[in-house]
Amino acid sequence: MLVHIPEVLSQDEVQHCRAVMARADWVDGRITAGHQSAQVKRNLQLPEHTPEARELSELVLRALSRHPLFMSAVLPKTIFPPLFNRYDADGEMNFGAHVDNAVRTIPGTAIRVRTDVSSTLFLSSPDEYDGGELVVEDTYGSHAVKLPAGDMVVYPGTSLHHVTKVTRGSRIASFFWTQSMIGDVTRRAMMFDLDMSIIRLNGDHPEHPSVVSLTSLYHNLLRQWAEV
Ligand code: NI
């Protein structure tokens, strides 16, 4: 289940992120890669302990917490602090096929995050670069994703994915992982469908008694399945 989450950041927030990143030092992206992915990863990252990375990471976390579509699609339990990467045409940067590490420890803590959901938040506008598509494989085939700056895609952490070579300009993005209250991808997708259906029904027929019964069903299913 790929979900496009529009307008996670406002254009002002995107510009702020870009300005902070323009004066930051970037390092080889292999610092956070596992053994297999290090062999296919060619990009740059902001070192996560720097003041710039921390400020921007918190900005993204605040934006996520106020976004109802992210909350509904992901049902977050623990969010790994967002990281930032860059792929330059100068350097022919790309990231070959890989699956993200299953479990990550939040630096400086003992908190472990099972990476149920992967997220990419685009910070460059599509007309600033060529290539750089995020390609995600699922049971229905492969999906190439390139979104407006400020928009995000979420997809199951189990998916094989890659980023195609950037052939013009630079592609800047934030990426992170979330442990969901519902680890099972099928259950999580059904909860999202149910929530979206309730919202549609409530919009079309706000007085309909099924709004209450389906909302109860949603919460009772969540109570059955949630790890909190
Ligand atoms: Ni990845």
Side-chain angles (χ1 to χ4, degrees), residues 95 98 100 161:
F95 196 163
H98 66 281
D100 296 337
H161 57 280

Side-chain angles (χ1 to χ4, degrees), residues 45-91:
Q45 271 178 223
L46 283 190
E48 47 206 298
H49 55 270
T50 61
E52 292 90 353
R54 286 196 174 169
E55 184 210 324
L56 298 185
S57 193
E58 279 164 25
L59 184 150
V60 174
L61 285 174
R62 279 196 303 277
L64 295 172
S65 69
R66 63 174 188 248
H67 206 299
L69 191 58
F70 174 76
M71 289 294 159
S72 176
V74 177
L75 293 167
K77 178 173 188 285
T78 313
I79 303 175
F80 190 93
L83 301 169
F84 298 86
N85 63 13
R86 193 176 102 201
Y87 295 79
D88 293 339
D90 176 19

Side-chain angles (χ1 to χ4, degrees), residues 37 41 85 87 95-101 104 118 120 134 155 157 159-163 175 177:
S37 56
K41 186 175 187 180
N85 63 13
Y87 295 79
F95 196 163
H98 66 281
V99 164
D100 296 337
N101 286 2
R104 289 187 174 263
S118 297
T120 296
L134 169 68
Y155 57 98
S159 317
L160 196 61
H161 57 280
H162 66 275
V163 176
F175 65 104
W177 304 273

Side-chain angles (χ1 to χ4, degrees), residues 166-177:
V166 171
T167 56
R168 177 183 65 87
S170 290
R171 172 202 196 266
I172 296 172
S174 176
F175 65 104
F176 58 92
W177 304 273

